[in-house]
Amino acid sequence: MSRHPEVKWAERLDKVYLTIQLPDAKDANVDVQPDGTFTFSGSAGSANNKYELELTLHDKINKEESKINKGMRSIFCVLVKEEPCWWKKLLRGDGKTPHYIKVDWDKWADEDEEGGDVDVGGMDFSGMGGMGGMANMMGGMGAEGMDDDLEGSEDEEEAEKPQLDEAENPKDEGAKTQTAPST
């Protein structure tokens, strides 16, 4: 019995990016037909488990223009669409997408965000993480320091308003509330 490798996908107006996640794949065979049939077979793991995949893509593919890069950790495919258009989904038909097919958010671009292409110069970008270290790149500034340099920020607007009594200012959560003496 064969297994299915994890597949990540993303698209542009004229291309579909497929990444088959299968580290140390042996005897990897990938075939793309103009009608949109995509097949993969190979083995991996210490037990040489067999992996197979057949996908019927949403529309036709230009086989001559498409590229396949077999790497150590994954197989990266750039499939050129026969007709440049946005697909509603990866696979043809009304069935549910199989569990082993996932969106590749690292390469994804929405229709209104159409920008540059993904650089496929032999590199696989799927292992790159997000911008988790962004706070460190900001020079260690806290949230207070980030607003200080902005013109027209809320802090400046608040400075122009008359100051409220601490009990009436719910924005200052750290302040102690004072109650008016009863008469």
Side-chain angles (χ1 to χ4, degrees):
M1 182 174 154
S2 64
R3 301 174 182 195
H4 297 290
E6 180 179 309
V7 178
K8 291 185 174 184
W9 81 285
E11 77 170 317
R12 297 293 188 278
L13 181 64
D14 60 339
K15 296 178 182 98
V16 173
Y17 300 110
L18 287 180
T19 305
I20 300 170
Q21 301 285 98
L22 194 61
D24 302 321
K26 299 173 193 142
D27 304 320
N29 294 312
V30 179
D31 186 44
V32 181
Q33 295 300 317
D35 68 350
T37 303
F38 178 88
T39 56
F40 167 80
S41 64
S43 59
S46 58
N48 280 328
N49 295 320
K50 187 171 182 164
Y51 290 85
E52 292 181 331
L53 180 68
E54 183 172 337
L55 304 174
T56 305
L57 302 176
H58 184 72
D59 210 346
K60 295 179 180 178
I61 298 295
N62 183 337
K63 183 177 180 173
E64 289 77 31
E65 295 290 320
S66 298
K67 300 174 186 171
I68 299 169
N69 181 12
K70 299 176 186 176
M72 295 295 293
R73 299 212 148 278
S74 61
I75 294 91
F76 182 61
C77 307
V78 179
L79 307 177
V80 178
K81 297 176 183 178
E82 187 69 34
E83 297 288 326
C85 64
W86 290 99
W87 292 358
K88 295 180 183 180
K89 55 186 183 171
L90 176 65
L91 303 178
R92 195 175 302 158
D94 294 329
K96 184 178 177 185
T97 303
H99 67 89
Y100 51 86
I101 298 177
K102 299 175 179 11
V103 173
D104 191 344
W105 295 114
D106 292 335
K107 295 179 182 80
W108 190 265
D110 289 329
E111 292 179 42
D112 57 351
E113 295 176 358
E114 183 68 23
D117 288 335
V118 173
D119 181 13
V120 295
M123 293 186 68
D124 181 14
F125 295 101
S126 63
M128 294 181 73
M131 298 294 287
M134 194 64 154
N136 293 336
M137 288 191 269
M138 298 299 291
M141 290 194 300
E144 302 82 26
M146 291 179 67
D147 288 338
D148 288 345
D149 295 333
L150 299 176
E151 287 186 38
S153 71
E154 290 180 31
D155 289 341
E156 288 181 18
E157 291 172 15
E158 287 178 9
E160 295 171 8
K161 294 179 187 175
Q163 294 296 318
L164 300 175
D165 182 42
E166 289 178 352
E168 296 174 346
N169 189 358
K171 197 168 189 177
D172 190 7
E173 296 173 18
K176 295 180 184 176
T177 58
Q178 296 178 350
T179 56
S182 58
T183 54

